[in-house]
């Protein structure tokens, strides 16, 4: 067996394990989607070598196994065989420019759907709902995914590029009923501006909450100030004073 057997170790998903205050599998952070894909070639060829090419084990595993077994890949399969990359063991061999991962917990009518476009440098994530349903991370400098570049103006060209990549992928892989999910891909800057405003509201709300705890806010109301592009808007946030205990 050692001389003629290929062994593959992989997994269907990871888990949050507390990262990003998350412990489940339905989101698209690296702790969930970056699963192992370890190949042991006959006689341990290229043992210990780590290659950078992207693999989507959900669709690439079957074509790869068929390739090694010498059988034809069933019609309609979407993946590609990674056998040439693994057997050459060369990081310079061209692989897929990007891979796409989906998550779908919408079967109960209220769950989340999401898509991830992962290239060598960036990772684009889009959900069908949520406060920050569009995300962009630089995977060379921010492996922990702590800085969402989708809300930063200078990354607009990158953001739009990955939106097009996801749109292209959806059109190549239509689901039953056509292309119903294209409507979730934002057009222009509208969603990004909304996300920027929401982020400011959350920060301002957190500051207000801390000031209330510290007792520095007004006893009757607190002013929450938010600057928009053209004006400054103020919301009056009611605050009930603490009840006085009888003496």
């Amino acid at each position: 067996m050692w001389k003629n057997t290929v062994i593959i170790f992989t997994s269907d998903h990871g888990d949050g394990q507390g990262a990003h205050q998350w412990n489940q599998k339905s989101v698209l952070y690296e702790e969930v989607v970056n699963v192992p894909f370890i190949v042991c070639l006959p006689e341990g060829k290229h043992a210990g070598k780590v290659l950078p090419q992207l693999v989507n084990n959900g669709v690439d595993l079957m074509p790869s196994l068929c390739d090694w077994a010498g059988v034809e890949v069933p019609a309609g399969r979407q993946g590609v065989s990674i056998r040439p990359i693994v057997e050459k063991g060369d990081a310079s061999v061209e692989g897929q420019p990007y891979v796409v991962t989906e998550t779908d917990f919408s079967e109960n009518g209220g769950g989340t759907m999401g898509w991830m476009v992962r290239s060598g440098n960036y990772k684009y994530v889009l959900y069908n709902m949520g406060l920050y349903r569009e995300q962009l991370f630089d995977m060379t400098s921010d492996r922990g995914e702590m800085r969402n570049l989708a809300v930063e103006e200078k990354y607009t060209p990158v953001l739009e590029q990955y939106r097009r990549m996801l749109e292209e992928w959806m059109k190549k892989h239509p689901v039953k009923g056509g292309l119903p999910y294209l409507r979730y891909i934002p057009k222009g800057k509208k969603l990004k501006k909304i996300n920027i405003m929401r982020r400011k509201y959350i920060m301002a709300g957190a500051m207000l909450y801390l000031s209330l705890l510290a007792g520095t806010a007004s006893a009757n109301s607190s002013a929450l100030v938010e600057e928009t592009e053209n004006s400054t808007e103020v919301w009056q946030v009611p605050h009930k004073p603490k009840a006085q205990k009888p003496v």
Side-chain angles (χ1 to χ4, degrees), residues 12-233:
D12 57 342
H13 64 82
D15 284 294
Q17 298 294 329
H20 299 274
Q21 301 182 6
W22 191 262
N23 68 343
Q24 299 296 314
K25 63 181 182 179
S26 57
V27 295
L28 296 169
Y29 287 121
E30 286 295 279
E31 289 80 9
V32 176
V33 298
N34 190 8
V35 298
F37 197 93
I38 303 172
V39 181
C40 178
L41 293 174
E43 298 185 332
K45 182 181 179 181
H46 303 314
K49 180 166 287 189
V50 179
L51 299 174
Q53 288 90 339
L54 297 169
V55 177
N56 187 331
N57 70 342
V59 293
D60 294 342
L61 183 59
M62 177 186 282
S64 301
L65 294 176
C66 290
D67 194 356
W68 267 302
V71 299
E72 186 177 351
V73 179
R77 299 305 92 189
Q78 299 175 2
V80 298
S81 172
I82 62 156
R83 179 182 178 182
I85 294 175
V86 173
E87 291 193 343
K88 289 181 180 179
D90 188 348
S92 65
V93 174
E94 185 177 359
Q96 303 176 80
Y98 66 90
V99 295
V100 175
T101 297
E102 297 177 273
T103 180
D104 188 354
F105 282 77
S106 63
E107 62 274 2
N108 59 5
T112 303
M113 292 189 298
W115 301 265
M116 175 197 76
V117 180
R118 179 70 158 87
S119 70
N121 296 327
Y122 290 98
K123 175 177 172 180
Y124 173 72
V125 177
L126 180 70
Y127 296 102
N128 66 321
M129 63 176 70
L131 184 62
Y132 290 102
R133 73 179 190 90
E134 187 174 46
Q135 302 167 359
L136 178 69
F137 301 104
D138 185 337
M139 301 309 295
T140 60
S141 62
D142 182 23
R143 292 287 296 177
E145 299 168 287
M146 301 301 292
R147 179 181 174 186
N148 183 12
L149 304 178
V151 300
E152 298 189 24
E153 190 71 27
K154 69 177 181 178
Y155 287 96
T156 296
V158 179
L159 183 65
E160 292 178 346
Q161 175 189 355
Y162 280 75
R163 287 173 176 173
R164 290 192 297 269
M165 290 163 66
L166 179 58
E167 181 177 357
E168 173 188 280
W169 182 88
M170 285 185 174
K171 289 180 178 179
K172 286 183 177 180
H173 305 91
V175 298
K176 185 177 180 180
L179 300 168
Y181 303 141
L182 285 177
R183 68 182 186 273
Y184 294 124
I185 301 178
K187 302 295 182 182
K189 302 179 181 179
K190 182 178 180 180
L191 178 62
K192 186 168 68 171
K193 289 183 178 180
I194 292 174
N195 279 340
I196 292 173
M197 295 302 295
R198 284 175 173 170
R199 182 175 64 176
K200 290 181 178 179
Y201 298 158
I202 291 172
M203 292 176 64
M207 293 176 64
L208 173 61
Y209 176 73
L210 292 174
S211 68
L212 292 174
L213 289 179
T216 57
S218 168
N220 298 316
S221 64
S222 300
L224 177 59
V225 181
E226 176 59 48
E227 293 185 1
T228 62
E229 290 183 350
N230 301 315
S231 64
T232 298
E233 300 181 15

